[in-house]
Amino acid sequence: MAETKITKRSEDYSKWYTDVIMAAELADYAPVKGCMIIRPNGYAIWEKMQAALDKMFKDTGHENAYFPLFIPEHFLAKEAQHVEGFAPEVAVVTHAGGQKLDEPLVVRPTSETIIWNTYRNWIQSYRDLPLLINQWANVVRWEMRTRLFLRTTEFLWQEGHTAHATYDDAEEETLKMLGVYKTFAEEFMALPVIEGRKSEREKFAGADHTYSIEAMMGDGKALQAGTSHHLGQNFAKAFDVQFQTKEGTRDFVFATSWGLSTRMIGALIMAHGDDNGIVIPPRLATIQIVVIPIFRKPEEGARVMEAVQKHVAAFKAAGIGVKVDDREQYSPGWKYNAWEKRGVPLRMEIGPRDLDKNQVMLARRDNGQKIPASQDDLATTVLALLDTIQSEMYARAKDFREKHSRPVDDYSKFGEILDGDSGFLWSHWCGSGDCEEKVKNETKATIRCIPMNRPKETGQCIVCGKPSEGRVIFARAY
């Protein structure tokens, strides 16, 4: 592990973020501008995310499949809003095998077009519905301004694509998967999120409407943590996906798509990280506890390591992810610092004096607290402490969000607040795209979502003064 100094968040938040990634060895820059290499420490977090989400998808009846990376260019042109939305980000292959291609191939920015071209062959009758498919894949979007994990030219994600017989069935699916994302964010990432509907200007290109979960990062900015789209019959009509109804008539199917990507690793860093590095919630940590044996003399070492092996066996039997750092070339202090940077939730220190007292020292990564713990039934103690860390990380993140959320009814204060503490600004909005655009152009804040559980409160639009049915969340975002 290379020694990497981490800039303080208060000095330069952007530099701090990059420093944390490098110090924890999560990712590195690739030779192609805007791409990243995900290192083992970063990929281990993604694997944990994948495992949790994949189980949740399968528990709700979805199956995994895989569709090609290359998409015929004319497919994108079939859905006008879709191609308009993605045109600036599309990478196109024009030559292959030493020859110019008869038709250019798009490197997938998302898979709606190729999937719906395929579904046309798979769906004939209402008996074929619903069709519930997810794929784990990479996608390419030619971003001009990139940042590791948050916005890269190539990234990893999952994308669900489902087909339904009715509008209501598709809406139920769209909201169900939004709920899956919310559960994942809050129960695994310890990240509180707000569910809501996107404005017309912010919805997915080609969707009837879009829902998202929105999270607050440690600098008060918002991050869209997952999206679920009700596509209506737009793609079915574009690709002529019809089915025979129960009544014997013909109709176009209703569609959804939903996705969550490796930007969630960036969200994890910014929501929980501190000046010492990343802090990984226990449920997403491959190594949940690192054991540091401490001794000077060989006879002490034999005794300490015997106890270490006993506890490690108990940890593994209890399903706890454990790593023993017994490298002799590094001091205990160096190891403490190195594992802190990597965000391991718990550290266990054990030496001869601890053995004499029948105890070990447990150090929490999330708050730095050191706790003496009995060696008796230690695995049970560790499991309970990991649960405590998980819940307290969520509570701290939620408390931070609440402290940086406020109602704002005076538009002249928008910029001042955003330039100061930033955060979520709950303001009335009339529903006009012009008012939305004015705020974006003048303050760089966008409507993150129209919260699903917002209080019923009539008021006046913060921009134009026209009637408003309720408050929406404005924020600057990643």
Side-chain angles (χ1 to χ4, degrees), residues 345-346 362-369 371 385 388-389 392:
L346 269 179
L362 298 176
R364 289 175 54 166
R365 174 64 184 87
D366 63 316
N367 63 10
Q369 183 182 11
I371 311 156
L385 192 51
T388 298
I389 292 170
E392 290 186 3

Side-chain angles (χ1 to χ4, degrees), residues 294-295 297 299-305 307-308 310-311 349-361 372-376:
I294 303 169
F295 55 87
K297 302 174 183 177
E299 58 271 23
E300 291 177 339
R303 184 175 167 225
V304 168
M305 291 308 297
V308 165
K310 180 188 75 172
H311 292 309
E349 304 163 16
I350 181 169
R353 292 182 182 178
D354 296 306
L355 296 181
D356 293 341
K357 297 177 182 178
N358 190 37
Q359 70 173 31
V360 299
M361 292 300 296
S374 169
Q375 291 192 55
D376 298 333

Side-chain angles (χ1 to χ4, degrees), residues 280-334:
I280 304 175
R283 296 190 73 179
L284 291 180
T286 300
I287 302 172
Q288 296 173 308
I289 183 168
V290 60
V291 179
I292 312 291
I294 303 169
F295 55 87
R296 293 181 179 178
K297 302 174 183 177
E299 58 271 23
E300 291 177 339
R303 184 175 167 225
V304 168
M305 291 308 297
E306 181 181 355
V308 165
Q309 295 307 320
K310 180 188 75 172
H311 292 309
V312 166
F315 291 162
K316 289 180 177 179
I320 300 167
V322 60
K323 169 80 174 179
V324 179
D325 189 347
D326 56 359
R327 294 172 296 173
E328 296 179 359
Q329 65 269 39
Y330 295 111
S331 68
W334 189 95

